[in-house]
């Protein structure tokens, strides 16, 4: 270790305006000002970290003191002043780091120095870095000097936080806004440095570094250094950059999404485990997953696909996967994932928290497909259209038109299909609340998505993760006839399953009632709006179950709410109990826990 | 501390060693890993390696003068920055006073968590640990000195996330353009709390958590019997600080407690459940939370088992067979519901809800929903 290794950001800090990366709007203006002798006495350099503010301040200082400027207005690098600058020995430049020297005393020292004109050269330059960190007393002490600087003094203030600078300062400075540096410029720049250092690079690796640097050249170079450090053969490769920078390869998200789309929960859990084993944080995984869904969403539309800031290879992958992921899947997944993100920190078992979220997502395709079928069946040729809002809405109008209204039923006729459809805006919330379009009180807030786990599948352990095709296979090519008897049996089966899975008491009350069945449509009379909410919540699951079990895709479900004056008083003991239990659900628990019969 | 004293982490060790061999040591490095992980140990071993007078291909020699000083962390070119219980008074060198304790603390073992350190120096309950601006400034002045003996002056800096913004900013310049032959080895367990300006000026060394096998091995070296070691590994999730804490606890009966509880829920034995709730109420709050922790862990295993990913289970022996039997009997929907109930219960427990009521409530939900 004879020579100390110098990080690239320092070693290759530009020393002429021409070598500054990605800020040509600023270097050109500065050079023009020098050429035409219209240099301001106070500058404010604003912009994010690591984009060249201090560097440009130093180059400016060096340039205007150079004794023999080149024709191109660059410092010569050879004169006395330039050499002094290069050896960090110039008396004409003073740097103050306001982050650590922000007191009045620090600024007074600086002001004292301003009084003395330069002994050699034309200008004395004062660079105050992170100037927003100056205490307000220090600021005020400085203001006077800034207002009436001696002719030989030039102040360059640099800050990452322009909004924290007092208006009185702003008004006295020529302001330069530094840009984030474009990823391509960063990658190009690193490529040059790599060549000088004799390091081989993969372009994809450099692009990845540039992307991660988020416009900051210093960050990018520091990442580059890290990768060189860790390289065994002086080569920077994409795969190794992923490892070294601790970036999760987006391939994981592609695999994950494929597994989710196939409803393969165990695969998704294994992928998540793999990610954690590599040392990635669960929360970052969730955030990355949401980002991935967003990218898929954006890829669905040729107008928005431009928003993807990824390489061409990656873009094609997104485009490809986005054709397989339906809009409603993506929106629902974003919503489920969003909840997971929000509650992550508060969760006691964060890993489990994510795993449950993955379970909900793995169920999405199945749930959405069933819903789509429910709404879609009258429009069979509608193959290509996903279960998005529009086509379904029209399908469902058909239903309305063809639904028999023979009895001339008086009240609140609702087609629940309408409300159980996911709308494009807020999918999961729609899921839970859509039935509430009329401003009804909410039922117990619960996601249908997760409930369906236990309902549509038999509770045998391994079957939960079966691929979605199985569920679809179960739907027949040709519809079989449905008898009232069979329907009641399957209905009761469903009701029992809900109960065993901890369904709400009032849901049981809503389910355990007689109904009519005509023209393949189940007519249910509900007691109140609350029950309607509950029904709408489980309707997709219920219909899916009935259709599969009875091998008939035509089954419909409509309901009405009994008019209060037409409402029967409770008659049987069961009915009386139901009324009481609905008012006080604890009764139901009591009955169940103690195994009581309703017979008194 | 030598590399070979640290379990696992071979890739990281190799990369660090290679950086010295290739003369490519970044002057500021962020050892970023979980609490109770290998961060301090690796930084310590790396510092030892860097200043070793007789470097071997894969480790420091462990015998030279530098190495023996490094073993006790008394090398004159190594400076320590660690959290203080409070802001030092004017003229007080609190950091200097506590440094001997810090050395002793790390010599016990280097897999540490902040609360342990604060307890070790008898910090009072509301002292959270801070690194004041004065300490950051003192780094600057110390580092401008030339190294006494070793090649490098090394700053071992633990828990930089405790720097306040002002103090952190005071470090930026020196991190970016440090004096020659100076190394900053910064060890963080919460790098998301660090200023991005600090992160961007350091080279990050990612450190994973210890695996269950490594924890078990570590405990075996400390003379813990294998069965107990595996139990602890299951509970501590790669955190050796937590593992050491658990070795000091009496034999854990959480599984027995849990199994008994679940059996009663399953058989809907309400009389016993009420009694159990009374018993739960008398346990200390830590114990209560411990049972809930364990329950969540076990429920997670049930969830995994029921979803056909048995390979992810970390259980063995009677706990594994419990999950297998119980998993067959219990309705999957109930597990999900109960996970939510326990999570809520934990929240309320922390906010001083009545443990008895809480416990009974969860028990009743469990009894109602478990049987598929
Ligand atoms: Zn010159
Ligand atoms: Zn040695």
């Amino acid at each position: 270790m004879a020579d100390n290794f110098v990080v690239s950001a320092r070693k290759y800090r530009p020393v002429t305006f021409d070598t500054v990366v990605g800020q040509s709007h600023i270097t050109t203006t500065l050079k023009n000002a020098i050429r035409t002798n219209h240099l301001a006495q106070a500058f404010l350099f604003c912009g994010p970290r690591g984009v060249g503010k201090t560097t440009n301040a130093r180059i400016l200082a060096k340039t205007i003191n150079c004794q023999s400027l080149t024709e191109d207005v660059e410092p010569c690098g050879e004169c006395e002043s330039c050499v002094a600058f290069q050896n960090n020995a110039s008396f004409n430049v003073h740097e103050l780091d306001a982050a650590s020297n922000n007191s009045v005393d620090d600024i007074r020292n600086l002001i004292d120095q301003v009084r003395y004109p330069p002994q050699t050269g034309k200008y004395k330059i004062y660079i105050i870095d992170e100037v927003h960190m100056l205490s307000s007393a220090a600021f005020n002490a400085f203001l006077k000097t800034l207002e009436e600087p001696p002719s030989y003094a030039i102040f360059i203030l640099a800050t990452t936080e322009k909004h924290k600078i007092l208006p009185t300062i702003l008004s006295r400075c020529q302001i330069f806004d530094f840009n984030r540096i474009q990823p391509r410029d960063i990658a190009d720049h690193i490529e040059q440095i790599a060549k000088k250092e004799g390091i081989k690079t993969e372009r994809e690796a450099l692009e990845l570094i540039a992307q991660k640097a988020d416009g900051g050249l210093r960050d990018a170079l520091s990442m580059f250094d890290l990768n060189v450090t860790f390289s065994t053969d002086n080569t920077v490769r994409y795969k190794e950059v992923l490892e070294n920078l601790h970036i999760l390869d987006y391939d994981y998200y592609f695999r994950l999404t494929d597994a989710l789309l196939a409803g393969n929960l165990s695969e998704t859990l294994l992928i998540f485990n793999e990610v954690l084993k590599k040392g990635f944080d669960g929360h970052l995984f969730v955030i990355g997953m949401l980002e991935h869904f967003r990218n898929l969403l954006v890829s669905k539309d040729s107008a928005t696909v431009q928003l993807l800031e990824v390489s061409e290879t990656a873009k094609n992958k997104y485009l490809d996967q986005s054709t397989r992921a339906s809009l409603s899947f993506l929106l629902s997944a974003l919503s489920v994932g969003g909840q997971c993100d929000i509650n992550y920190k508060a969760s006691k078992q964060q890993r489990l928290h994510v795993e449950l979220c993955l379970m909900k997502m793995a169920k999405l395709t199945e749930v959405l497909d069933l819903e789509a079928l429910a709404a879609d069946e009258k429009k069979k040729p509608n193959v290509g259209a996903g279960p998005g809002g529009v086509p379904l809405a029209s399908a469902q109008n058909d239903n309305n038109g063809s639904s028999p209204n023979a009895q001339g039923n008086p009240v609140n006729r609702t087609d629940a299909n309408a409300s159980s459809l996911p709308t494009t805006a807020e999918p999961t919330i729609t899921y839970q609340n859509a039935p509430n379009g009329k401003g009804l009180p909410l039922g117990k807030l619960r996601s249908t998505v997760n409930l369906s786990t236990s309902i549509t599948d038999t509770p045998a352990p391994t079957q939960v993760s079966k691929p979605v095709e199985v569920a679809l296979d179960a739907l027949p090519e040709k519809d079989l006839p449905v008898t009232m008897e069979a329907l009641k049996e399957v209905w009761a089966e469903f009701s029992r399953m809900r109960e065993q899975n901890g369904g709400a008491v009032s849901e049981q009350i809503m389910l355990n009632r007689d109904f009519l069945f005509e023209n393949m449509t189940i007519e249910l009379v509900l007691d109140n709006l609350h029950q309607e909410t509950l029904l709408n919540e489980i309707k997709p699951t219920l219909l899916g179950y009935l259709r599969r079990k009875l091998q008939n895709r035509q089954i419909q479900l409509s309901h009405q709410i009994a008019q209060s004056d037409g409402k029967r008083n409770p008659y049987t003991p069961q009915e009386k109990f139901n009324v009481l239990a609905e008012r006080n659900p604890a009764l139901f628990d009591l009955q169940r826990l103690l195994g009581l019969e309703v017979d008194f | 501390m030598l590399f070979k004293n640290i379990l696992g982490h071979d890739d990281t060790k190799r990369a660090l060693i290679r950086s010295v061999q290739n003369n490519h040591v970044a002057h500021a490095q962020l050892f970023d890993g979980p609490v109770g992980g290998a961060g301090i140990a690796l930084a310590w071993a790396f510092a030892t390696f860097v200043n070793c007078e007789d470097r071997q291909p894969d480790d420091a020699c462990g015998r030279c003068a530098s190495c023996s000083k490094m073993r006790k962390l008394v090398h004159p070119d190594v400076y320590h920055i660690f959290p203080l219980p409070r802001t030092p008074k004017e003229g007080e060198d609190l950091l200097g006073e506590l440094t001997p304790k810090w050395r002793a603390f790390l010599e016990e073992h280097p897999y540490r968590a902040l609360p342990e350190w604060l307890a070790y120096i008898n910090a009072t309950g509301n002292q959270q640990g801070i690194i004041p601006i004065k300490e950051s400034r003192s780094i600057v002045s110390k580092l401008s000195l030339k190294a006494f003996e070793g090649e490098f002056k090394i700053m071992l800096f633990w828990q930089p996330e405790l720097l306040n913004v002002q103090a952190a900013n005071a470090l930026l310049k020196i991190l970016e353009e440090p004096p020659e032959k100076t190394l900053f080895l910064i060890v963080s367990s919460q790098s998301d709390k660090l200023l991005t300006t600090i992160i961007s000026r350091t080279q990050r060394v990612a450190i994973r958590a210890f695996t269950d096998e490594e924890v078990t091995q570590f405990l075996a070296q400390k003379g813990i019997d294998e069965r107990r070691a595996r139990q602890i590994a299951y509970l501590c999730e790669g955190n050796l600080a937590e593992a050491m804490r658990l070795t000091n606890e009496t034999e854990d009966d959480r599984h027995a407690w849990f199994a008994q509880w679940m059996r009663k829920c399953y058989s809907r034995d309400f009389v016993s459940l009420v009694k159990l709730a009374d018993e739960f109420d008398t346990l200390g709050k830590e114990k209560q939370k411990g049972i809930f922790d364990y329950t969540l862990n076990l429920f997670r295993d049930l969830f995994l088992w029921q979803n056909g990913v048995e390979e992810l289970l970390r259980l063995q022996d009677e706990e594994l067979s419990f999950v297998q039997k119980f998993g067959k009997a219990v309705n999957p929907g109930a597990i999900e519901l109960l996970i939510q109930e326990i999570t809520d219960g934990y929240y309320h427990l922390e906010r001083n809800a009545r443990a008895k009521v809480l416990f009974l409530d969860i028990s009743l939900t469990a009894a109602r929903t478990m049987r598929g």
Side-chain angles (χ1 to χ4, degrees):
Chain A
M1 289 174 85
D3 292 314
N4 207 357
F5 163 67
V6 176
V7 297
S8 298
R10 269 171 88 195
K11 187 167 177 186
Y12 293 100
R13 199 191 260 279
V15 289
T16 59
F17 284 124
D18 273 357
T19 48
V20 171
V21 181
Q23 308 291 0
S24 57
H25 64 298
I26 286 169
T27 51
T28 316
T29 316
L30 285 174
K31 278 165 89 169
N32 278 336
I34 297 170
R35 185 183 288 128
T36 56
N37 249 324
H38 276 102
L39 210 55
Q41 280 202 279
F43 296 90
L44 181 65
F45 287 1
C46 315
R49 64 206 168 86
V51 298
K53 297 185 298 298
T54 317
T55 300
N56 270 289
R58 289 182 188 172
I59 296 174
L60 178 64
K62 186 177 171 189
T63 310
I64 57 183
N65 270 314
C66 175
Q67 288 148 2
S68 54
L69 272 187
T70 66
E71 272 178 39
D72 195 28
V73 203
E74 297 281 5
C76 71
E78 286 160 7
C79 69
E80 195 188 334
S81 164
C82 284
V83 171
F85 266 99
Q86 273 140 234
N87 296 333
N88 284 327
S90 175
F91 291 109
N92 288 345
V93 63
H94 300 269
E95 283 190 46
L96 181 78
D97 175 22
S100 47
N101 309 288
N102 59 358
S103 68
V104 185
D105 285 346
D106 294 321
I107 210 83
R108 289 231 171 92
N109 285 338
L110 181 125
I111 294 169
D112 284 345
Q113 291 171 0
V114 175
R115 290 209 200 104
Y116 308 103
Q119 291 181 319
T120 57
K122 285 178 278 187
Y123 298 102
K124 279 175 96 172
I125 292 98
Y126 298 87
I127 301 172
I128 306 183
D129 218 351
E130 304 292 342
V131 68
H132 62 275
M133 301 285 292
L134 282 183
S135 66
S136 61
F139 244 135
N140 287 327
F142 179 52
L143 207 53
K144 187 87 173 62
T145 314
L146 195 63
E147 269 169 3
E148 296 166 3
S151 60
Y152 50 80
I154 289 187
F155 293 97
I156 303 172
L157 316 180
T159 182
T160 47
E161 298 181 50
K162 190 177 171 183
H163 59 277
K164 287 189 182 163
I165 307 293
L166 298 176
T168 44
I169 302 264
L170 289 175
S171 67
R172 281 167 179 82
C173 296
Q174 185 175 6
I175 298 170
F176 286 97
D177 287 306
F178 284 69
N179 293 332
R180 276 178 205 289
I181 303 168
Q182 291 301 310
R184 175 174 314 201
D185 291 340
I186 293 182
D188 289 346
H189 185 65
I190 300 179
E191 204 159 23
Q192 285 174 17
I193 290 182
K195 270 194 196 121
K196 284 181 201 158
E197 294 278 307
I199 287 156
K200 290 190 275 309
T201 56
E202 288 178 1
R203 181 68 192 183
E204 215 186 347
L206 300 184
E207 275 171 6
L208 181 63
I209 291 176
Q211 207 183 319
K212 281 288 143 187
D214 196 26
L217 192 58
R218 183 176 56 226
D219 291 15
L221 289 174
S222 135
M223 290 183 222
F224 170 71
D225 286 345
L226 175 95
N227 282 287
V228 175
T229 305
F230 285 0
S231 162
T232 42
D233 55 356
N234 276 343
T235 308
V236 175
R237 293 185 188 83
Y238 178 78
K239 276 274 166 219
E240 287 154 11
V241 172
L242 283 175
E243 290 277 320
N244 296 338
L245 296 183
H246 207 58
I247 300 169
L248 190 54
D249 192 348
Y250 58 42
D251 267 352
Y252 282 102
Y253 292 120
F254 281 106
R255 275 168 58 205
L256 181 87
T257 307
D258 279 338
L260 286 175
L261 286 170
N264 188 345
L265 176 58
S266 55
E267 176 68 18
T268 64
L269 293 175
L270 289 170
I271 292 173
F272 179 48
N273 182 60
E274 207 179 318
V275 168
L276 291 181
K277 266 208 157 151
K278 289 196 142 228
F280 289 98
D281 173 62
H283 199 187
L284 290 181
F285 170 80
V286 172
I287 292 167
M289 177 169 69
L290 290 173
E291 177 77 18
H292 184 82
F293 292 150
R294 189 205 75 110
N295 286 347
L296 290 176
L297 202 59
V298 163
S299 308
K300 274 198 151 318
D301 190 330
S302 56
T304 51
V305 75
Q306 327 296 344
L307 296 174
L308 280 184
E309 283 184 351
V310 296
S311 69
E312 208 53 35
T313 342
K315 191 180 277 179
N316 288 332
K317 281 182 131 184
Y318 282 115
L319 283 171
D320 170 55
Q321 192 167 60
S322 75
T323 59
R324 278 174 280 137
S326 73
L327 191 63
S328 38
F329 169 83
L330 291 175
L331 291 168
S332 305
L334 274 166
S335 177
V336 173
Q339 281 303 311
C340 179
D341 174 26
I342 292 167
N343 297 323
Y344 186 88
K345 289 281 176 201
S347 166
K348 275 295 153 215
Q349 238 282 14
Q350 294 173 328
R351 181 168 183 177
L352 179 57
H353 181 68
V354 178
E355 286 165 338
L356 290 172
C357 158
L358 290 175
M359 181 180 78
K360 288 175 193 165
M361 289 180 177
K363 291 287 129 196
L364 278 176
T365 309
E366 188 169 358
V367 173
L368 292 168
D369 278 354
L370 290 173
E371 269 184 41
L373 271 166
D376 223 29
E377 60 212 350
K378 299 265 165 152
K379 300 181 77 189
K380 276 184 199 131
N382 193 2
V383 183
V390 182
L392 295 184
S394 59
Q396 178 254 312
N397 282 342
D398 282 359
N399 290 350
N400 261 350
S402 59
S403 299
N405 202 347
Q407 292 105 323
N409 274 336
V411 280
N412 289 353
R413 181 167 185 93
T414 330
D415 191 311
N417 269 339
S419 27
S420 61
L421 285 174
T423 62
T424 35
E426 292 259 324
T428 302
I429 296 173
T430 313
Y431 245 43
Q432 296 161 342
N433 302 359
N436 270 316
K438 301 171 207 86
L440 309 181
L442 281 178
K444 194 175 173 190
L445 204 68
R446 170 154 37 74
S447 146
T448 358
V449 178
N450 80 42
L451 280 176
S452 66
T453 324
S454 30
I455 284 116
T456 44
D457 294 307
T458 34
T462 44
Q463 250 174 313
V464 180
S465 53
K466 72 181 177 221
V468 79
E469 283 77 13
V470 178
L472 293 178
D473 284 349
L475 284 166
E477 275 296 306
K478 279 196 177 146
D479 298 321
L480 301 180
V482 178
T483 64
M484 184 65 172
E485 206 180 9
L487 176 61
K488 289 216 157 176
E489 202 169 291
V490 175
W491 181 282
E493 216 172 276
F494 180 81
S495 166
R496 273 199 304 278
M497 266 168 48
R498 295 291 297 187
E499 184 189 356
Q500 283 161 2
N501 286 299
V505 178
S506 29
E507 183 185 292
Q508 283 294 308
I509 296 168
M510 183 267 294
L511 284 173
N512 295 336
R513 63 184 59 231
D514 278 333
F515 49 79
L516 295 174
F517 184 57
E518 277 176 22
N519 296 326
M520 298 316 288
T521 302
I522 301 164
E523 297 272 348
L524 205 56
V525 182
L526 301 177
D527 302 331
N528 52 38
L529 294 174
H530 175 59
Q531 291 182 346
E532 182 181 49
T533 313
L534 289 172
L535 178 63
N536 284 333
E537 261 185 32
I538 61 165
K539 186 162 178 175
T541 324
L542 172 58
L543 269 180
Y545 188 80
L546 296 176
R547 285 171 188 164
R548 254 190 305 153
K549 284 282 176 177
L550 296 166
Q551 302 278 292
N552 187 309
R553 289 168 297 177
Q554 307 301 325
I555 302 170
Q556 289 294 323
L557 173 61
S558 79
H559 68 271
Q560 48 184 303
I561 295 173
Q563 266 176 323
S564 48
D565 55 347
K567 193 174 173 181
R568 222 151 44 93
N569 282 327
Y571 176 68
T572 64
Q574 181 67 51
E575 281 168 350
K576 286 176 186 162
F577 178 77
N578 284 354
V579 170
L580 290 172
E582 200 166 349
R583 261 184 239 148
N584 183 0
L587 269 182
F588 210 82
D589 284 340
L590 188 73
Q591 181 211 14
R592 257 199 288 208
L593 292 175
L594 303 178
L596 299 177
E597 297 288 315
V598 188
D599 205 356
F600 29 82
Chain B
M1 178 63 50
L2 302 176
F3 282 123
K4 66 173 180 227
N5 302 133
I6 305 165
L7 291 168
H9 297 90
D10 290 342
D11 293 353
T12 318
K13 291 175 191 171
R14 263 198 300 277
L16 289 169
I17 289 166
R18 204 159 49 226
S19 74
V20 177
Q21 289 163 348
N22 296 350
N23 188 23
H24 211 280
V25 179
H27 61 256
Q29 308 196 21
L30 180 67
F31 289 71
D32 185 5
V35 178
I40 300 177
L42 283 168
W44 184 357
F46 183 54
T48 308
F49 185 70
V50 162
N51 272 340
C52 174
E53 291 151 21
D54 182 20
R55 278 200 287 268
Q56 309 293 304
D58 56 354
D59 214 332
C61 74
R63 292 178 303 270
C64 69
S66 169
C67 281
S68 59
K69 282 175 195 152
M70 280 307 297
R71 189 164 50 239
K72 292 180 181 142
L73 287 170
V74 293
H75 198 293
D77 293 321
V78 175
Y79 304 90
H80 301 271
I81 299 265
F82 45 80
L84 303 180
R86 56 179 170 78
T87 311
K89 296 186 199 85
E90 197 55 42
E92 181 189 24
D93 181 15
L94 193 53
L95 192 72
E97 283 165 30
L98 286 172
T99 299
K101 282 202 171 181
W102 170 246
R103 290 183 182 126
F105 179 69
L106 290 190
E107 266 186 288
E108 273 180 20
H109 75 88
Y111 311 103
R112 292 302 199 171
L114 180 63
E116 279 182 293
W117 166 241
L118 292 173
Y120 194 83
I121 52 174
N122 303 317
T124 60
N126 52 12
Q127 291 176 335
Q128 309 274 310
I130 47 164
I131 293 169
I133 187 159
K134 184 169 157 270
E135 266 48 44
S136 318
R137 287 241 172 89
S138 82
I139 300 176
V140 180
S141 57
K142 279 178 186 164
L143 291 178
S144 52
L145 305 167
K146 200 178 171 334
F148 291 105
E149 300 173 356
E151 204 178 333
F152 279 87
K153 281 165 293 172
I154 296 172
M155 180 61 66
L156 261 180
F157 189 166
W158 190 49
Q159 300 264 339
E161 50 269 39
L162 294 173
L163 282 167
N164 62 30
V165 177
Q166 215 190 6
N169 274 317
L171 273 180
L172 292 184
K173 271 280 150 169
I174 194 161
L175 276 183
E176 191 175 10
E177 298 182 356
E180 280 196 13
K181 302 272 178 190
T182 303
L183 282 186
F184 285 91
L185 305 181
I186 302 174
V187 183
S188 172
S189 52
Q190 284 179 295
S191 57
D192 55 326
K193 286 196 180 161
L194 279 177
L195 286 190
T196 43
T197 41
I198 290 213
I199 294 178
S200 84
R201 283 165 171 87
T202 56
Q203 204 172 72
R204 183 168 174 278
V205 182
I207 297 164
R208 61 165 173 79
F210 284 106
T211 63
D212 284 0
E213 292 71 40
E214 285 160 1
V215 176
T216 313
Q217 220 181 320
F218 175 78
L219 293 171
Q221 289 168 6
K222 300 270 167 196
I224 310 288
D225 78 78
E226 200 200 326
R227 196 180 139 273
R228 176 80 183 130
R230 281 208 310 260
Q231 260 180 10
I232 292 176
Y234 175 67
L235 293 171
C236 77
E237 317 229 3
N239 177 343
L240 288 187
E242 175 70 4
M244 287 304 282
R245 192 186 69 76
L246 288 168
T247 57
N248 296 327
E249 282 198 348
T250 46
E251 176 80 15
D252 199 70
D253 59 350
R254 283 190 258 199
H255 178 69
W257 224 98
F258 171 78
Q260 157 183 248
W261 179 24
M262 287 301 121
R263 272 186 214 109
K264 299 211 156 119
C265 289
Y266 192 77
S267 61
R268 301 190 178 167
D269 180 352
F270 296 106
V271 180
S272 301
L273 280 175
V274 171
K275 276 191 202 143
L276 210 55
D278 284 333
E279 196 186 316
F280 186 77
D281 205 44
T282 61
L283 303 171
K285 186 179 280 184
E286 284 313 308
K287 182 97 186 171
Q288 290 168 348
K289 283 202 245 173
I291 288 173
F292 277 6
D293 273 335
Y294 184 85
T295 307
L296 277 179
N297 276 355
L298 242 278
F299 277 2
R300 172 167 178 269
D301 287 321
L302 278 167
F303 166 78
L304 293 174
W305 191 84
Q306 286 185 332
N307 283 296
V309 273
E310 197 161 357
E311 57 197 286
L312 293 187
L313 295 195
R314 298 163 54 221
L315 294 167
Q316 281 165 344
D317 310 335
E318 80 255 56
E319 290 170 312
L320 181 61
S321 74
F322 177 87
V323 164
Q324 286 166 339
K325 277 187 224 135
F326 204 57
K328 270 180 225 152
V330 175
N331 161 20
I335 294 296
E336 204 198 327
L337 181 70
L338 287 171
I339 286 168
Q340 190 54 50
E341 294 259 324
I342 300 272
T343 309
D344 293 348
Y346 203 110
Y347 177 87
H348 293 300
L349 202 59
E350 280 178 331
R351 280 152 191 81
N352 296 320
R354 183 73 198 271
K356 181 178 169 177
V357 179
L358 213 62
F359 184 87
L360 196 59
D361 188 41
I362 295 170
S363 304
L364 291 182
T365 310
R368 187 161 56 82
T369 54
M370 263 181 180
R371 282 198 223 174

